[in-house]
Amino acid sequence: KHECCMAIFLDAHHQLIEFCKIAEGTVNYVYSYNRNIMELALTLHASGVIIVHNHPSGVCEPSDKDIESTVLLGVELERIGVNLLDHFIVSRDTHFSFAAAGLSLTSLPEVEKK
């Protein structure tokens, strides 16, 4: 009934280290502090991270805010030597994968100039 953000921390062989709830939000918004994710990644000696959050509405297309926050996290993790491998948005019946959709996890999409 409300959005939650989870993080999957992986080692260099993409084996699971830990699966953690990062934040809980409202019916249509969750804010997760990148600092907390980065701190956990360093503490757990993770090489990779996958972020997962839900959209209770059932619509799994990422919002502009989802895209911006994902790219910011990807850039910040990259600076400390950790790869953001994917960001999944899930609902009861479907899911969306940034990686499968070909969205960059470290740079914003080009805006079409008019």
Side-chain angles (χ1 to χ4, degrees), residues 5-6 15 20 23-24 64 66 86 103 106 108:
C5 180
M6 312 290 282
Q15 299 298 307
C20 303
E24 260 184 71
D64 289 344
D66 289 332
D86 206 345
L103 292 176
T106 56
L108 290 173

Side-chain angles (χ1 to χ4, degrees), residues 4-9 18-25 30-38 40-41 44 49-52 73:
C4 294
C5 180
M6 312 290 282
I8 302 167
F9 296 94
E18 193 156 334
F19 180 69
C20 303
K21 181 188 281 187
I22 301 298
E24 260 184 71
V30 64
Y31 184 80
S32 59
Y33 291 98
N34 290 354
R35 177 181 176 150
N36 295 350
I37 296 168
M38 295 168 69
L40 281 168
L44 296 168
V49 176
I50 297 171
I51 299 298
V52 182
L73 176 61

Side-chain angles (χ1 to χ4, degrees), residues 19-88:
F19 180 69
C20 303
K21 181 188 281 187
I22 301 298
E24 260 184 71
T26 65
V27 294
N28 64 351
Y29 183 78
V30 64
Y31 184 80
S32 59
Y33 291 98
N34 290 354
R35 177 181 176 150
N36 295 350
I37 296 168
M38 295 168 69
E39 182 179 12
L40 281 168
L42 290 171
T43 299
L44 296 168
H45 305 285
S47 293
V49 176
I50 297 171
I51 299 298
V52 182
H53 87 275
N54 65 316
H55 279 181
S57 68
V59 177
C60 285
E61 289 297 313
S63 67
D64 289 344
K65 186 67 177 166
D66 289 332
I67 294 169
E68 289 172 23
S69 61
T70 299
V71 169
L72 180 59
L73 176 61
V75 168
E76 290 176 346
L77 284 170
E78 194 174 62
R79 288 183 182 150
I80 61 169
V82 178
N83 294 312
L84 180 59
L85 301 170
D86 206 345
H87 179 171
F88 287 97

